[in-house]
Amino acid sequence: MRDLSRDNRFLSINIATVREQWNLRQAIEGIARAGIPALSVWRDKLAELGLKEARRLIKSHGLRVSGLCRGGLFTGKGRGGLAEALQDNRRAVDEAAELEAACLVLIAGGLVPGSRDIAEARRIVGEGLAELLPYARAAGVPLAIEPLHPMYAADRACINTLAEANDLCDALGEGIGLALDVYHVWWDPELMAQIARAGKERLLAFHVCDWLVPTRDILNDRGMMGDGVIDIRTLRAAVEAQGFDGYCEIEIFSNDWWAKPMDDVLRTCIERHRTVV
Amino acid sequence: MRDLSRDNRFLSINIATVREQWNLRQAIEGIARAGIPALSVWRDKLAELGLKEARRLIKSHGLRVSGLCRGGLFTGKGRGGLAEALQDNRRAVDEAAELEAACLVLIAGGLVPGSRDIAEARRIVGEGLAELLPYARAAGVPLAIEPLHPMYAADRACINTLAEANDLCDALGEGIGLALDVYHVWWDPELMAQIARAGKERLLAFHVCDWLVPTRDILNDRGMMGDGVIDIRTLRAAVEAQGFDGYCEIEIFSNDWWAKPMDDVLRTCIERHRTVV
């Protein structure tokens, strides 16, 4: 297991963590200023800054991109809207390639609006991934399916367990893997078995934050690592036992942390990365 | 599949649905007044009224008890507190027997306070169930494990899927089954397979409400059937295909519904039972 206690080599900040106060330019500068070597970029912030300028700034600050968030969302307009969703996903692949992102993170999308058929939503996701994958392979961009917590099944992502993500990878072949966010999967009784099933090839991203008790908001009350109940180190040991050697990416959706001074937040991220992750 | 559209024969009201305004006496009277034949009782309300008086009132109104809520909670004081938890669970078995409840509903309990080890919490639950089961068998009270949604894994129940509940039943043998609440399990990709695996013998209770989008409160924003995204009828078809012939028990934790006139809420329950469940 890697020793994270001495430096920030394996630390990445997902810019969702700083999104309420910083645009992408500020995030790049702030992350570099903090001595953190990598970031994960969201497409809305990327569009604001522009792809070329983002690439230039990221390069000039010597940063790496641990992931681009996010593609997927195949179900939002039903099967009839899949072509449109795929068009946007191909743009996301292009952006990920341009940023030399380690992967394009995909969330499935929820139920088709007006439908209660989650099995159908899952079929659409499978079809969307199958359509997108050849394009991503050609661009050299690994696709990372991120299973989201079951509390987001209705409106964000109908892929909710590592088992489902692994099943999709089995069906689709090379070039697709998964993003494991401890927040979404820590409760899963099959977690360890499914990490082993995924193996190094499929473990494309490792996201950390914490589950707070109580959780006061279903979306934006995620915790700083160490403040909640997730046994993060055991999960990191499990992915590293498979050979994962990528970044530990901190992604915290939190009204509390978004309200603090961002440089302080990054200092706390560094400290917790070294002591808790 | 049963036709629920013509009468209330298979309708039960879990008194959590009316708990903010009605004590157990009022609930019994109100449910009988509405022409509903069964209820599910919570132990806190039962303690307030007294077991003998509750039994007398329930009988005199001609009601049946579809379940007693709730036992379990084995993990609250860790392994060292298991004996105390078991003592309380044996009292719950006695109460269920006295009320001739169809089952005693058990929720597992969350993480041991101060611990992040969910596997250990699950082991304690298994041990607690194994200890309790002979007592319940002797009393003729079926134990019903209710898997709760993974968003309650930390602080309420570390048994979160039907697969886990079925695994426990496999390990423990006769006299124990499960309570399926559509709210907790609707998202589960293994749901249909695990209902089939459970079969008639283990399907001891069927609870209904709905998942709202958005969900504004992690505890008390459950929906009236038909107001959310759960395909309730398909789930009822699945349990009835296994031979389930018990009550459809309405259990709604909702700040909104708790604030309405209770007789109106029961009228809505009846209407939705007939048209949506």
Side-chain angles (χ1 to χ4, degrees), chain B residues 1-272:
Chain B
M1 194 171 173
R2 296 178 294 182
D3 177 4
L4 305 183
S5 70
R6 297 173 195 212
D7 59 56
N8 302 338
R9 266 190 301 166
F10 300 112
L11 172 56
S12 175
I13 299 292
N14 185 303
I15 65 167
T17 309
V18 297
R19 76 176 191 194
E20 296 297 307
Q21 293 184 44
W22 281 354
N23 61 28
L24 182 52
R25 180 187 302 277
Q26 292 167 304
I28 291 166
E29 292 169 353
I31 287 164
R33 188 166 63 238
I36 293 166
L39 81 171
S40 185
V41 176
W42 277 64
R43 293 184 70 211
D44 54 344
K45 299 277 190 187
L46 182 62
E48 269 173 32
L49 180 60
L51 180 58
K52 280 202 171 159
E53 178 63 2
R55 179 185 156 94
R56 190 192 68 73
L57 270 178
I58 289 168
K59 289 251 174 206
S60 73
H61 284 85
L63 298 177
R64 305 302 301 253
V65 178
S66 60
L68 179 66
C69 298
R70 54 196 189 180
L73 297 165
F74 295 112
T75 55
K77 295 185 177 174
R79 182 166 265 115
L82 191 53
E84 190 182 324
L86 281 163
Q87 199 167 22
D88 188 56
N89 272 282
R90 285 189 288 266
R91 279 195 296 271
V93 167
D94 294 343
E95 292 164 10
E98 187 72 14
L99 296 179
E100 298 169 43
C103 60
L104 172 62
V105 176
L106 306 173
I107 69 164
L111 295 167
V112 173
S115 161
R116 292 184 170 89
D117 189 346
I118 194 163
E120 168 70 358
R122 288 169 174 153
R123 282 190 295 270
I124 294 173
V125 173
E127 290 168 26
L129 291 170
E131 286 271 336
L132 182 62
L133 186 54
Y135 189 87
R137 281 187 190 131
V141 173
L143 299 180
I145 308 166
E146 182 174 6
L148 295 199
H149 195 284
M151 69 189 177
Y152 304 126
D155 49 355
R156 280 172 175 72
C158 61
I159 304 299
N160 305 104
T161 62
L162 286 188
E164 291 180 276
N166 271 321
D167 287 348
L168 285 165
C169 291
D170 280 352
L172 293 167
E174 294 202 352
I176 187 159
L178 49 90
L180 186 161
D181 186 319
V182 300
Y183 189 80
H184 296 302
V185 300
W186 72 274
W187 60 272
D188 186 351
E190 286 194 49
L191 182 56
M192 292 302 177
Q194 293 295 332
I195 287 173
R197 178 182 166 201
K200 177 177 166 60
E201 292 305 308
R202 285 185 189 165
L203 290 166
L204 299 176
F206 181 65
H207 296 184
V208 295
C209 67
D210 215 334
W211 182 278
L212 299 179
V213 177
T215 289
R216 297 158 303 171
D217 185 283
I218 205 166
L219 282 177
N220 298 322
D221 194 27
R222 302 189 192 178
M224 180 64 67
M225 300 76 66
D227 292 347
V229 300
I230 303 176
D231 187 359
I232 299 171
R233 187 151 296 170
T234 295
L235 299 188
R236 180 166 73 84
V239 300
E240 293 189 8
Q242 297 303 317
F244 177 78
D245 56 5
Y247 292 98
C248 299
E249 179 180 319
I250 298 175
E251 183 182 40
I252 306 176
F253 291 76
S254 162
N255 294 322
D256 286 350
W257 288 98
W258 285 333
K260 296 181 200 282
M262 287 295 103
D263 288 311
D264 292 352
V265 173
L266 292 188
R267 266 190 290 278
T268 305
C269 285
I270 289 170
E271 186 253 325
R272 300 297 176 89

Side-chain angles (χ1 to χ4, degrees), chain A residues 6-24:
Chain A
R6 298 174 195 210
D7 59 58
N8 301 339
R9 266 190 303 165
F10 300 112
L11 171 56
S12 175
I13 300 292
N14 185 302
I15 66 167
T17 309
V18 297
R19 75 176 192 194
E20 295 299 307
Q21 293 184 43
W22 281 354
N23 60 28
L24 181 52

Side-chain angles (χ1 to χ4, degrees), chain A residues 13-28 31 40-46 48 69-70 156 217-222 250-262 265-266:
Chain A
I13 300 292
N14 185 302
I15 66 167
T17 309
V18 297
R19 75 176 192 194
E20 295 299 307
Q21 293 184 43
W22 281 354
N23 60 28
L24 181 52
R25 180 187 303 276
Q26 291 168 306
I28 291 166
I31 287 164
S40 184
V41 175
W42 277 64
R43 293 184 69 211
D44 54 344
K45 299 277 191 187
L46 182 61
E48 270 172 31
C69 297
R70 54 198 188 180
R156 279 172 175 70
D217 185 283
I218 206 166
L219 283 177
N220 298 323
D221 194 26
R222 302 189 192 177
I250 297 176
E251 182 183 41
I252 306 176
F253 291 76
S254 162
N255 295 322
D256 286 349
W257 288 98
W258 285 334
K260 296 182 200 283
M262 287 295 102
V265 172
L266 292 188

